[in-house]
Amino acid sequence: MPNLEDLNVHKMFELYMEQNSQHKCCYESYRDAGDEFGIHYRTLARYWKKAKAEDLQPGATVPLFDIGYQKPRQVFTEQFEQELRDYLLHASYIYYSLTPKEVRKLAYELATANSLKVPESWNERKQAGEDCYLAFMKHNPTLSLRKPQPTILVRITAFNEANVDASLDKLVDVYNLHNIQPCDIWNIDETDVTTVQTPERIISRRGRKQVSFFVSAERGTFFTVVGTISASGNTVPPFFVFARVHFKDFLLEQAPPGSSDISNRIGWMQEDSFQLCLKHFAVHARCTKDRPSFIL
């Protein structure tokens, strides 16, 4: 966008065209014009050298040349950047997001397809430069570099409007049939927990290659914790799966009251472990045939 100085040059040019069409004398020097419009005479001289012969003809009211500082290394215009941004957003929406390297290759193909002038390094590497990619991401805050979650094709294709509507309709029928209340709707989820916590960022000397922090062990073991909560906010004591052949009583020390556990060699939820977890849930949720619970 032109700054105040550019607008002054533009206004001065219009005044010159008006005086020139009336065969009046204009300013004798750049200094005279600059003093009247409050701009430096060197700036005025730089813009005046850009004027072509047709710009100075009587009848012209505005300069036909661009005013303001231009970016000599800018390859894409705002329109091309918008098209590239919209394409990346659409690709992300359909689960085909591009990596930074693929974006740089796409930018080079876009530039060459539209006969845009690109740096020589782009032609050598067949992709845009890293500085161009960083500038593009900075100009478009709606885009961000994220770590995606792997999702199989069956799950993607199954998650559509028709299937979601059908599932919600069946869910409403089940709620009405069994008179399900919020306190009867439960969500059960499991997560793995390591016995060695990852230390937070610490302050150390700059330039040091390796920074260490004291922990109980470098490689810990994992165990599984199953948490359960209802739609009304009620909770069930956690269920633990420890990676041990034989269970020891000290494993449940300081655990929430009512917690239960099981041990196996890997510490993950298996078929027999899940059956015990459901029994643990039934005891605390107090679900019966006449008053069933709905697990999500």
Side-chain angles (χ1 to χ4, degrees):
M1 179 176 292
N3 55 27
L4 181 59
E5 191 174 81
D6 300 330
L7 296 177
N8 287 339
V9 175
H10 197 286
K11 183 177 180 181
M12 187 220 64
F13 191 90
E14 293 180 349
L15 181 59
Y16 170 80
M17 292 302 178
E18 180 181 353
Q19 294 178 347
N20 189 36
S21 62
Q22 299 175 2
H23 303 283
K24 295 181 181 179
C25 179
C26 194
Y27 306 101
E28 296 182 357
S29 65
Y30 296 122
R31 292 181 182 272
D32 296 340
D35 292 342
E36 180 172 345
F37 288 91
I39 59 177
H40 197 272
Y41 73 97
R42 287 296 184 185
T43 303
L44 179 58
R46 182 175 68 252
Y47 284 114
W48 197 257
K49 290 179 181 179
K50 296 181 180 180
K52 300 179 181 179
E54 56 270 19
D55 297 331
L56 304 178
Q57 294 178 357
T61 58
V62 295
L64 304 180
F65 55 89
D66 295 331
I67 62 176
Y69 288 98
Q70 304 297 321
K71 299 178 180 180
R73 299 186 60 187
Q74 183 174 353
V75 178
F76 296 110
T77 61
E78 184 177 353
Q79 179 182 359
F80 282 115
E81 280 199 4
Q82 182 178 358
E83 292 179 0
L84 183 58
R85 180 185 68 248
D86 294 342
Y87 178 84
L88 295 177
L89 292 176
H90 180 69
S92 175
Y93 179 76
I94 61 176
Y95 303 96
Y96 282 96
S97 302
L98 303 182
T99 63
K101 188 174 182 179
E102 292 173 341
V103 173
R104 292 165 59 183
K105 290 183 178 180
L106 179 63
Y108 173 76
E109 295 175 358
L110 178 62
T112 54
N114 291 273
S115 302
L116 301 179
K117 185 178 179 181
V118 299
E120 188 62 28
S121 59
W122 289 28
N123 295 324
E124 295 176 358
R125 303 175 183 178
K126 303 300 180 182
Q127 62 181 5
E130 186 176 357
D131 56 343
C132 179
Y133 164 76
L134 295 177
F136 173 76
M137 295 296 292
K138 185 177 180 180
H139 296 163
N140 298 273
T142 55
L143 301 175
S144 63
L145 188 61
R146 304 283 299 275
K147 185 177 181 180
Q149 179 179 357
T151 308
I152 60 176
L153 181 61
V154 175
R155 185 175 180 180
I156 295 176
T157 54
F159 187 74
N160 54 64
E161 184 176 0
N163 291 341
V164 171
D165 291 341
S167 300
L168 292 178
D169 292 340
K170 294 180 180 179
L171 186 62
V172 172
D173 295 339
V174 172
Y175 285 172
N176 296 332
L177 178 63
H178 298 282
N179 192 22
I180 299 296
Q181 302 298 323
C183 59
D184 301 323
I185 303 174
W186 297 86
N187 183 20
I188 299 180
D189 195 10
E190 59 179 348
T191 182
D192 56 338
V193 181
T194 178
T195 57
V196 177
Q197 301 300 322
T198 303
E200 299 180 358
R201 292 184 178 182
I202 59 175
I203 299 176
S204 181
R205 183 180 181 86
R206 181 183 296 274
R208 189 175 179 181
K209 294 184 178 180
Q210 183 177 357
V211 179
S212 303
F213 186 81
F214 176 78
V215 292
S216 60
E218 293 186 358
R219 294 184 179 180
T221 57
F222 287 90
F223 64 95
T224 302
V225 180
V226 181
T228 308
I229 188 172
S230 70
S232 61
N234 297 327
T235 59
V236 168
F239 183 85
F240 298 92
V241 181
F242 295 103
R244 298 180 65 93
V245 179
H246 302 289
F247 172 74
K248 301 297 181 180
D249 294 336
F250 68 86
L251 295 176
L252 287 182
E253 289 184 2
Q254 299 183 358
S259 300
S260 183
D261 69 286
I262 190 176
S263 300
N264 56 34
R265 292 183 178 274
I266 59 177
W268 296 347
M269 182 68 69
Q270 295 179 326
E271 183 177 355
D272 56 344
S273 305
F274 185 67
Q275 292 178 0
L276 294 177
C277 181
L278 289 180
K279 293 181 179 179
H280 169 76
F281 166 77
V283 171
H284 292 277
R286 299 180 180 180
C287 51
T288 61
K289 292 182 179 179
D290 298 331
R291 186 174 174 270
S293 295
F294 192 84
I295 300 178
L296 298 177

